[in-house]
Amino acid sequence: MKVTMKGQANAVSTFPDLDNIRQQFPLLSRTVHGQSLVYLDNAATTQKPVSVIESVDRYYREQNANVHRASHFLSGCTTHAFEAARETTRHFLNARFAQEIIWTRGATEAINLVANSWGRSQLTSGDEIILSRLEHHANIVPWQLLAEVTGAIIRVVELDEAGNLDRQHFQQLLSEKTRLVAIAHTSNAIGTILPVKELIALAHRVGALVLVDGSQAVAHQKVDVQALGADFYVFSGHKVYGPTGIGVLYGRRELLENMPPWQGGGEMIERVSFSGTRFNHLPFKFEAGTPNIVGAIGLGKALEFLAGIDFAALHAHECQLRTLVEEGLSRINGIRLIGQAEQKAPVVSFVSSELHNQDIGLMLDQQGIAVRTGHHCTMPLMESLNLNGTVRASFALYNTVDEANAFVVAMEKLHHSPVYDAHPEMKNNRGGVSGNAQAMINEVNGLPEIFCQQAPELVAIANRLNGLSGWQERYRQIMLLGKELPVLSGEWRSDDARLHGCESSVWLHYHYDDETMRLYFIADSDARVIRGLIAIVLAVFSGRTPDEIAREDIDQWFRELDLFNHLSPSRGNGLKAIVREIQAIAHRYR
């Protein structure tokens, strides 16, 4: 893939041997929707090198056994590999002792471990915890739960307009009441790199401990927990080229030794009797039950892979990619970059005045480009920015200049292509309702007028979509379907009618006719593609009896229209939320 942007000289990667690095990641060679994959969702999860994949496969093929609990050969091999991975992780973070490395399911569980063990045993009413506005929900909610139990108070450090942490505000919040500062090393949403070494030193001056969420940092920069002075440092394996379901809590040994166990079970004990239990020593005190053995081994291999990378060259390469994209997007009318901090990770977050974030994500996907859209689990940050979310492109060591250019070119086309002329209007006379549907509507006495404008019948929709060549024309027709629905406004867009948990805003209303025993639905969305897909959902369900709705196979219809991927069970899928709500409403009338 070779793409050159207008006004952009041919850029050459600053990263040596990039082709060889890419060959170590098998998934990068696949195609999506007939296009070469451009994977720009690395802040969500990174792809895995062959060494990690093979280590997982080899474990299950050649040495599957439990650790620490048997004297046979397989258990010995597995225990050795498991503890070798712990030592690799110790070295990667420059921790003093292997006992300071605790295996968890991920950064989220690591934070919860500290909150429940250290926090519940140390905090009392009036103690203060400082968080930043940038934090991922995983570094907010555990502290809120802790504060409810202990009476501790949460203070929040704000940002400046560029997305930098307000150092002055941080210092103002620090006091003798501050017991813990929990901060991200790097923002997952807007890429800000926090000056954690400086913040740790300031916190220590008032006697506070510091937990650093390094999930977005460890794949992009060398981390030395001793040099930072961190009391706790956490990260997830899947963000650093390792498997999912494995993470790390680093804690200073003297802190961990004085913390009570969090979970009870096997491995974390030395002796158990009904008169009392004596707990195991570090790190096993915090590793109850059978651990994610293969996850730890795979993570060890991922960190060994990273140990062979020149981080200075990596930093220059990722900065180059981010700069290319930021400069390219800045030239597109309607796009606004979100987060322009002085120090940034390879993350580009933005919004468009022309297109909904979800529409951008869906249509980039049709071109093989994977990005993330939504609030990125940072609702407090988005609230402060007065945004519902952003589009986020995030880069890794295997991304190329050509991929960065391809992304910008795709965004340029999205903002200049006539495929996006399908704006919903308050009144629309296109299409109309088919004869059968109109006949059913005419049977209903007292049906509110807004329900009378129904979507075209499924046969008509299938005729319009099937046989279209190219994603552009297909998505144009989907959005034109959305234009044939009434646009809800005023009270019809009340919060009571909104389906929560959707990436785009979605509103749903229904009317049940007692005489015909049929349910009629109207729905709307602020995302154009979702709005068009809603028309298909309403064509399937609206005007049907509850029993007919219960029997209807919506999945089959979407398969026949080659749109089944839009019914993903993702928590942000507004379309799936509508289907579930319609089915629930029908169930109440059966």
Side-chain angles (χ1 to χ4, degrees):
M1 177 187 296
K2 183 68 175 178
V3 181
T4 302
M5 298 182 292
K6 290 181 180 179
Q8 175 68 54
N10 288 336
V12 178
S13 173
T14 60
F15 202 36
D17 210 16
L18 182 55
D19 289 341
N20 179 57
I21 287 175
R22 286 182 61 84
Q23 289 172 12
Q24 297 182 57
F25 291 84
L27 190 138
L28 297 180
S29 63
R30 72 159 297 166
T31 58
V32 174
H33 302 305
Q35 306 289 328
S36 296
L37 172 65
V38 176
Y39 185 77
L40 304 180
D41 194 21
N42 295 285
T45 196
T46 52
Q47 299 307 326
K48 318 308 174 192
V50 170
S51 59
V52 171
I53 296 169
E54 289 181 345
S55 72
V56 172
D57 180 74
R58 185 166 53 251
Y59 169 78
Y60 284 118
R61 287 181 182 274
E62 300 178 7
Q63 65 183 76
N64 180 41
N66 215 326
V67 291
H68 305 137
R69 301 180 187 182
S71 57
H72 60 75
F73 176 79
L74 290 180
S75 180
C77 291
T78 298
T79 300
H80 176 78
F82 182 73
E83 292 303 329
R86 196 189 306 271
E87 174 58 27
T88 298
T89 306
R90 182 208 67 77
H91 186 267
F92 181 77
L93 294 177
N94 192 32
R96 293 175 301 166
F97 310 107
Q99 298 98 312
E100 295 178 320
I101 303 300
I102 311 296
W103 298 124
T104 65
R105 289 182 301 161
T108 298
E109 185 174 67
I111 294 169
N112 276 274
L113 191 162
V114 176
N116 282 278
S117 177
W118 179 86
R120 285 178 178 247
S121 65
Q122 297 295 319
L123 297 188
T124 59
S125 180
D127 288 341
E128 295 184 356
I129 302 168
I130 294 180
L131 310 177
S132 83
R133 176 67 62 176
L134 290 166
E135 300 309 316
H136 188 284
H137 296 163
N139 202 24
I140 298 175
V141 179
W143 308 116
Q144 291 177 327
L145 295 173
L146 177 63
E148 289 178 2
V149 172
T150 62
I153 299 168
I154 293 175
R155 305 294 188 191
V156 181
V157 188
E158 299 297 344
L159 313 175
D160 65 18
E161 292 184 358
N164 297 295
L165 187 83
D166 187 334
R167 287 176 169 89
Q168 184 176 359
H169 188 218
F170 178 73
Q171 293 184 63
Q172 290 172 349
L173 291 180
L174 287 171
S175 74
E176 68 280 357
K177 294 181 180 180
T178 307
R179 298 295 308 283
L180 180 76
V181 175
I183 50 172
H185 199 155
T186 299
S187 165
N188 71 302
I190 61 174
T192 301
I193 300 175
L194 279 68
V196 291
K197 185 173 182 178
E198 174 190 343
L199 301 179
I200 290 170
L202 290 170
H204 283 173
R205 288 179 190 173
V206 298
L209 300 183
V210 181
L211 179 145
V212 180
D213 177 2
S215 298
Q216 298 295 328
V218 287
H220 306 289
Q221 62 185 88
K222 280 191 174 295
V223 173
D224 185 331
V225 292
Q226 292 190 70
L228 291 176
D231 301 296
F232 302 103
Y233 196 98
V234 307
F235 69 92
S236 295
H238 72 98
K239 309 272 185 161
V240 65
Y241 309 106
T244 56
I246 189 69
V248 170
L249 164 64
Y250 157 80
R252 288 195 291 114
R253 187 171 66 176
E254 53 271 30
L255 291 173
L256 295 174
E257 285 177 338
N258 289 315
M259 288 164 51
W262 175 34
Q263 296 176 320
E267 191 62 36
M268 53 77 66
I269 52 85
E270 281 189 352
R271 183 180 183 278
V272 176
S273 73
F274 286 110
S275 62
T277 295
R278 186 168 64 247
F279 301 121
N280 209 340
H281 55 80
L282 293 175
F284 311 115
K285 180 172 72 170
F286 295 108
E287 294 179 357
T290 297
N292 184 355
I293 301 167
V294 71
I297 292 172
L299 176 55
K301 290 299 180 182
L303 300 184
E304 288 177 5
F305 165 79
L306 266 184
I309 299 297
D310 181 340
F311 270 82
L314 170 62
H315 176 72
H317 170 64
E318 292 179 335
C319 283
Q320 179 188 32
L321 298 178
R322 176 178 58 79
T323 302
L324 282 172
V325 169
E326 287 180 337
E327 291 177 351
L329 293 178
S330 296
R331 292 192 292 270
I332 301 174
N333 290 333
I335 286 184
R336 176 165 63 97
L337 297 177
I338 306 298
Q340 295 288 280
E342 298 166 4
Q343 297 294 322
K344 280 196 66 178
V347 170
V348 180
S349 210
F350 64 94
V351 293
S352 168
S353 61
E354 302 296 320
L355 301 169
H356 190 279
N357 299 331
Q358 192 170 16
D359 289 337
I360 292 174
L362 289 171
M363 289 184 279
L364 286 174
D365 177 64
Q366 290 296 310
Q367 301 171 74
I369 302 174
V371 298
R372 181 70 47 162
T373 63
H375 54 66
H376 316 300
C377 293
T378 58
M379 286 184 177
L381 171 61
M382 295 301 156
E383 181 182 15
S384 72
L385 297 170
N386 197 28
L387 297 172
N388 291 323
T390 68
V391 182
R392 183 188 70 192
S394 50
F395 302 90
L397 56 80
Y398 41 62
N399 288 122
T400 68
V401 168
D402 285 342
E403 288 179 326
N405 288 339
F407 170 66
V408 174
V409 169
M411 287 303 304
E412 289 174 341
K413 290 180 178 178
L414 292 187
H415 282 72
H416 298 113
S417 170
V419 70
Y420 306 104
D421 289 342
H423 290 272
E425 303 293 341
M426 288 302 295
K427 294 183 179 179
N428 194 305
N429 296 319
R430 289 178 52 86
V433 182
S434 64
N436 291 339
Q438 189 63 57
M440 286 191 296
I441 291 172
N442 292 338
E443 295 177 14
V444 182
N445 293 320
L447 183 67
E449 182 180 354
I450 196 167
F451 286 90
C452 294
Q453 188 174 345
Q454 291 287 310
E457 285 195 327
L458 279 167
V459 173
I461 291 174
N463 289 337
R464 286 169 63 171
L465 293 182
N466 290 337
L468 292 177
S469 60
W471 70 269
Q472 293 97 330
E473 184 56 31
R474 190 172 181 79
Y475 271 62
R476 173 176 166 78
Q477 288 300 321
I478 289 171
M479 286 188 286
L480 288 173
L481 282 173
K483 289 189 72 176
E484 299 180 33
L485 297 178
V487 175
L488 303 182
S489 60
E491 64 181 10
W492 294 96
R493 283 198 172 195
S494 68
D495 198 55
D496 289 341
R498 182 176 176 179
L499 300 183
H500 294 279
C502 306
E503 185 175 321
S504 56
S505 295
V506 174
W507 299 269
L508 176 69
H509 295 268
Y510 72 94
H511 176 85
Y512 180 71
D513 180 59
D514 291 318
E515 293 184 6
T516 64
M517 294 184 292
R518 296 181 183 276
L519 278 163
Y520 295 86
F521 299 93
I522 55 169
D524 198 1
S525 173
D526 56 356
R528 299 180 203 172
V529 174
I530 294 298
R531 183 180 166 82
L533 295 170
I534 284 172
I536 301 173
V537 172
L538 298 187
V540 173
F541 290 126
S542 192
R544 305 294 184 92
T545 67
D547 285 342
E548 289 172 338
I549 291 173
R551 292 194 300 268
E552 192 63 67
D553 188 354
I554 184 76
D555 290 1
Q556 184 58 37
W557 277 109
F558 270 73
R559 284 192 186 95
E560 291 182 10
L561 296 172
D562 196 24
L563 295 170
F564 184 66
N565 62 302
H566 292 294
L567 285 177
S568 155
S570 164
R571 65 180 181 272
N573 190 332
L575 199 66
K576 193 69 172 180
I578 289 178
V579 171
R580 286 195 297 265
E581 184 64 17
I582 286 175
Q583 292 169 336
I585 292 168
H587 181 74
R588 294 200 291 269
Y589 285 93
R590 292 185 71 185

